[in-house]
Amino acid sequence: MSISLSSLILLPIWINMAQIQQGGPDEKEKTTALKDLLSRIDLDELMKKDEPPLDFPDTLEGFEYAFNEKGQLRHIKTGEPFVFNYREDLHRWNQKRYEALGEEGYGVIVLNPNENYIEVEKPKIHVQSSSDSSDEPAEKRERKDKVSKETKKRRDFYEKYRNPQREKEMMQLYIRENGSPEEHAIYVWDHFIAQAAAENVFFVAHSYGGLAFVELMIQREADVKNKVTAVALTDSVHNVWHQEAGKTIREWMRENCCNWVSSSEPLDTSVESMLPDCPRVSAGTDRHELTSWKSFASIFKFFTEASEAKTSSLKPAVTRRSHRIKHEEL
């Protein structure tokens, strides 16, 4: 078993401390001196003495890792998942390596604004019957109550038989500040994406998600333009006219967005549009729910080219145009 330098130094100090604490009042000065010594020990510096230099690659490939076709991070040579304890007993070095690798990776936020409420049991409202009368004989009231209870029991049984899943009356409570898909998108942007250190943010917005993104642009136009590199819409149902998106938003979408729509045409074939917002290309399927999956490879090529264009200060429109030409030629 190997013992690190920090363990060799701290162990005798701990023993000495125990011995001093067993002494009398005369040992107080020694205890104070020892505490002062401990306060001046830099554990981080001690750990550095046993570790290799913190010299790590600048790219994911340099670490010999890559994402496979399933989006899983795997070692290029062995195919094994990422290993944190790359060097045994060097936790600080392993942590620094992990952080350096993380800088080359991706963070993913999944928004699901369709489930923006919880169901709770609807409170029962007790209504006092007007037929109850203080001068009514007790026997008659008891008979009427019994009939009423039997009637309610039969009605409840019928309702349960007709709809077995609905045993109780339920009501929907919407999540605060997330009561709609549009509110949800803005909330996630304000509290997470806008505060992230990421320099390149990409959106994949499917169906109503495209409408939510356009609303986000309307509400946070300057921030979105500053942080978002590219947007892939998949069979989006947005409408820049109905949502009253301004001219500057429509121009930005033409340069930085692309909509993969349901179509029987081959993947990336240009599709005409009546809306002056962004290019529309075929997702390679006429099934709405499969548009994101079928256009997956094209979307990430689009993102890669947009990122490279941003780095080299090229216009995204040129990059996107070359992306479509390549597929059409194939």
Side-chain angles (χ1 to χ4, degrees):
M1 181 181 69
S2 60
I3 301 177
S4 65
L5 177 62
S6 58
S7 299
L8 290 172
I9 293 176
L10 290 179
L11 183 60
I13 289 177
W14 181 83
I15 293 173
N16 289 336
M17 176 69 79
Q19 292 171 345
I20 290 173
Q21 288 176 343
Q22 291 175 0
D26 295 339
E27 302 294 339
K28 287 185 178 180
E29 293 184 4
K30 293 181 180 180
T31 304
T32 303
L34 184 54
K35 289 182 178 179
D36 181 63
L37 173 62
L38 286 172
S39 67
R40 287 187 277 116
I41 293 177
D42 190 337
L43 297 181
D44 199 45
E45 288 296 325
L46 289 175
M47 296 175 71
K48 287 181 182 179
K49 294 181 180 180
D50 281 345
E51 69 183 17
L54 301 177
D55 185 17
F56 301 109
D58 296 329
T59 63
L60 194 62
E61 291 75 15
F63 284 94
E64 296 187 335
Y65 280 98
F67 289 95
N68 61 18
E69 65 278 1
K70 296 181 180 180
Q72 301 168 328
L73 186 65
R74 293 290 184 267
H75 195 276
I76 295 175
K77 296 179 180 178
T78 66
E80 295 295 323
F82 173 74
V83 177
F84 179 84
N85 291 317
Y86 189 77
R87 291 180 180 268
E88 190 176 357
D89 296 329
L90 292 177
H91 179 80
R92 179 182 179 278
W93 188 89
N94 289 328
Q95 178 65 30
K96 293 295 183 182
R97 172 177 174 268
Y98 169 76
E99 293 173 0
L101 177 63
E103 292 177 359
E104 304 302 326
Y106 303 91
V108 178
I109 296 179
V110 179
L111 283 69
N112 185 11
N114 295 317
E115 299 178 2
N116 54 356
Y117 63 85
I118 58 174
E119 284 193 340
V120 297
E121 185 178 356
K122 192 174 183 180
K124 296 180 180 179
I125 302 176
H126 299 281
V127 180
Q128 187 175 0
S129 175
S130 58
S131 61
D132 291 343
S133 176
S134 58
D135 57 353
E136 189 175 36
E139 184 179 350
K140 186 176 181 180
R141 287 202 305 271
E142 290 177 2
R143 188 165 55 251
K144 288 176 63 177
D145 289 343
K146 184 177 180 181
V147 172
S148 177
K149 289 178 180 179
E150 289 295 330
T151 303
K152 183 179 184 303
K153 186 177 180 180
R154 287 195 298 270
R155 184 171 62 249
D156 291 344
F157 177 81
Y158 171 73
E159 287 292 335
K160 185 175 181 179
Y161 175 79
R162 187 179 66 173
N163 186 5
Q165 301 300 323
R166 187 181 179 183
E167 297 183 6
K168 299 178 180 179
E169 287 291 329
M170 306 298 287
M171 62 183 295
Q172 296 176 348
L173 291 181
Y174 287 90
I175 300 172
R176 184 174 61 252
E177 299 183 59
N178 290 266
S180 69
E182 295 88 337
E183 286 185 0
H184 181 61
I186 294 173
Y187 182 89
V188 173
W189 175 271
D190 290 342
H191 291 81
F192 300 99
I193 303 175
Q195 300 181 29
E199 296 180 356
N200 290 302
V201 176
F202 302 91
F203 271 82
V204 179
H206 175 67
S207 191
Y208 199 91
L211 187 149
F213 174 79
V214 172
E215 184 63 26
L216 173 64
M217 278 218 69
I218 294 172
Q219 300 296 329
R220 303 288 188 271
E221 180 177 353
D223 294 338
V224 171
K225 288 181 177 179
N226 182 58
K227 205 168 185 68
V228 176
T229 301
V231 178
L233 306 171
T234 57
D235 227 11
S236 170
V237 297
H238 72 277
N239 188 305
V240 291
W241 293 136
H242 293 168
Q243 295 181 256
E244 299 182 355
K247 180 181 178 181
T248 54
I249 292 177
R250 298 196 302 270
E251 291 175 347
W252 187 90
M253 291 183 65
R254 278 195 294 269
E255 297 297 319
N256 299 278
C257 301
C258 187
N259 191 6
W260 278 263
V261 299
S262 53
S263 170
S264 58
E265 295 294 329
L267 180 66
D268 286 334
T269 301
S270 180
V271 177
E272 294 297 325
S273 172
M274 297 295 291
L275 297 175
D277 48 15
C278 63
R280 287 160 49 98
V281 295
S282 172
T285 178
D286 55 6
R287 293 180 59 181
H288 171 75
E289 67 276 13
L290 294 181
T291 50
S292 297
W293 170 252
K294 288 291 186 179
S295 55
F296 179 86
S298 293
I299 288 174
F300 275 86
K301 287 181 180 179
F302 173 59
F303 286 167
T304 300
E305 293 171 0
S307 179
E308 292 173 352
K310 180 179 178 180
T311 303
S312 59
S313 300
L314 295 176
K315 293 183 178 180
V318 177
T319 305
R320 183 174 58 249
R321 189 161 53 247
S322 64
H323 165 70
R324 290 207 303 270
I325 291 174
K326 289 178 183 176
H327 283 282
E328 289 170 0
E329 290 175 350
L330 290 174

